[in-house]
């Protein structure tokens, strides 16, 4: 499977001109490279403008847009929310759901995440489900039980199939952020095996095998290769390093 390289810009950069500049650099730097499936997830308000830059020529076939969040209803009185249909309309293909920062600062529960995934799927968006344990949970030896709970609630009655299998990002919360220490590769790979097994149990072996599993947490241009070399991880979700065009291009071109 071609690795997924996903940029999560979070609430960055501060200004539209900077976002356009960053995106233009990335687009140019990537050129026609097709080594990875590159997904850029900027803040909502930048998406349309960046899409225009993207559409101004037709070279970067490997690049797609993702959003960082979505609401589950189609329309109505939900102040501040964005529907899957609104994202589809501006050529967004992917959406990150259940990022730990959404769980932590906006009290997103596994049940809410489940609704978001269902809604995204039924609107033909590809959800990227984030899961991960806190430092405390890890120290208490609860990593696997936490991940199992997150997966089983988030995926409950979600109609993934072998042609449209889940995309799961393992992002241990203790490893996220520039100051965080990245997860050891072996540990991330062991978790990937565990996630695949859990998905196989929730669905079936075939869907388990087809599921794409990513690692995220302090990935940068120096350490990214180690996560991809074992082939147990199918991609990377990158925060801070995705805001540096040179670093991100290096990673996305697998250089
Ligand atoms: P980081 O963020 O690469 O800055 O650690 C990853 C993420 O939170 O998705």
């Amino acid at each position: 499977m071609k690795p997924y390289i996903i940029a999560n810009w979070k609430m960055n950069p501060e200004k539209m001109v900077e976002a356009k500049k960053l995106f233009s650099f990335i687009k140019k730097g990537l050129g026609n490279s097709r080594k990875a499936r590159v997904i850029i997830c900027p803040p909502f308000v930048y998406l349309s403008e960046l899409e225009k830059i993207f559409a101004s020529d037709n070279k970067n076939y490997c690049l797609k847009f993702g959003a960082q969040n979505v609401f589950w209803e189609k329309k109505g009185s939900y102040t501040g929310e964005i529907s899957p249909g609104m994202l589809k309309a501006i050529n967004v293909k992917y959406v990150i759901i259940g990022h730990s920062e959404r769980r932590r600062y906006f009290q997103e529960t596994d049940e809410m995440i489940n609704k978001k995934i269902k809604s995204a799927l039924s609107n033909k968006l590809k959800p990227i489900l984030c899961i991960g344990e806190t430092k405390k949970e890890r120290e208490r030896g609860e990593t696997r039980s936490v991940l199992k709970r997150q997966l089983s609630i988030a995926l409950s009655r979600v109609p993934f199939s072998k042609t449209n299998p889940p995309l799961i990002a393992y992002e241990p919360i203790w490893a996220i952020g520039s100051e965080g220490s990245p997860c050891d590769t072996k540990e991330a790979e062991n978790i990937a095996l565990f996630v695949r097994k859990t998905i196989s149990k929730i669905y079936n072996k075939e869907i388990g095998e087809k599921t794409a599993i990513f690692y995220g947490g302090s990935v940068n241009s120096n350490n990214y290769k180690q996560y991809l070399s074992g082939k147990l991880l199918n991609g990377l979700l990158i925060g801070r390093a995705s805001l540096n065009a040179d670093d991100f291009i290096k990673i996305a071109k697998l250089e």
Side-chain angles (χ1 to χ4, degrees):
M1 188 187 294
K2 213 190 243 191
Y4 288 76
I5 302 293
I6 307 161
N8 177 9
W9 286 6
K10 306 193 180 181
M11 202 170 74
N12 299 296
E14 270 183 86
K15 298 197 171 96
M16 176 74 86
V17 297
E18 294 164 337
K20 284 184 176 175
K21 203 168 145 197
L22 175 60
F23 181 73
S24 301
F25 268 134
I26 291 172
K27 180 177 178 250
K28 192 162 170 247
L30 279 178
N32 275 333
S33 167
R34 288 159 178 261
K35 288 207 175 135
R37 302 176 207 227
V38 181
I39 303 166
I40 311 277
C41 307
F44 287 130
V45 290
Y46 298 152
L47 276 164
S48 292
E49 286 299 311
L50 302 188
E51 159 61 22
K52 277 185 213 154
I53 298 176
F54 174 69
S56 62
D57 66 45
N58 228 351
K59 281 188 190 148
N60 299 290
Y61 301 111
C62 70
L63 196 157
K64 300 249 181 333
F65 286 106
Q68 298 171 17
N69 183 30
V70 69
F71 193 56
W72 56 79
E73 294 290 349
K74 249 170 121 169
K75 61 170 192 167
S77 306
Y78 304 102
T79 304
E81 293 299 330
I82 306 277
S83 74
M86 293 173 186
L87 295 175
K88 269 305 278 183
I90 53 168
N91 205 23
V92 169
K93 305 277 192 249
Y94 292 83
V95 56
I96 296 173
I97 294 181
H99 190 281
S100 61
E101 287 152 14
R102 300 242 21 118
R103 296 178 191 252
R104 180 171 167 206
Y105 300 120
F106 305 97
Q107 286 72 48
E108 275 192 18
T109 62
D110 292 316
E111 287 76 10
M112 289 158 77
I113 289 163
N114 174 252
K115 287 196 208 178
K116 291 183 175 199
I117 295 181
K118 282 182 183 152
S119 176
L121 258 193
S122 62
N123 285 280
K124 304 216 167 11
L125 286 172
K126 288 189 184 293
I128 300 166
L129 167 63
C130 295
I131 55 171
E133 81 286 8
T134 63
K135 187 163 178 255
K136 279 224 175 78
E137 288 164 340
R138 180 176 186 239
E139 284 164 359
R140 287 199 296 257
E142 295 169 3
T143 299
R144 282 169 165 71
S145 62
V146 167
L147 300 180
K148 199 168 156 190
R149 186 206 70 223
Q150 291 176 338
L151 285 170
S152 56
I153 302 176
L155 299 178
S156 168
R157 296 171 189 273
V158 177
F160 279 118
S161 63
K162 59 180 185 191
T163 50
N164 192 15
L167 309 173
I168 312 286
Y170 171 55
E171 295 212 303
I173 296 166
W174 47 269
I176 293 178
S178 55
E179 313 306 328
S181 37
C183 182
D184 174 73
T185 308
K186 269 269 143 318
E187 195 175 335
E189 287 180 339
N190 282 336
I191 294 295
L193 288 172
F194 172 76
V195 168
R196 204 173 290 290
K197 230 196 240 167
T198 307
I199 305 268
S200 300
K201 273 190 207 151
I202 295 173
Y203 293 96
N204 58 52
K205 198 156 174 273
E206 209 176 355
I207 294 182
E209 276 165 7
K210 295 220 151 118
T211 295
I213 301 169
F214 317 136
Y215 167 72
S218 300
V219 173
N220 57 45
S221 57
N222 296 317
N223 67 13
Y224 82 94
K225 262 194 187 147
Q226 70 198 47
Y227 294 106
L228 300 176
S229 58
K231 307 268 179 231
L232 292 173
L233 290 157
N234 310 109
L236 299 165
L237 184 44
I238 303 163
R240 199 170 175 82
S242 72
L243 295 168
N244 179 311
D246 290 335
D247 283 350
F248 186 71
I249 291 163
K250 189 174 161 200
I251 301 172
K253 288 171 104 174
L254 308 183
E255 281 173 358

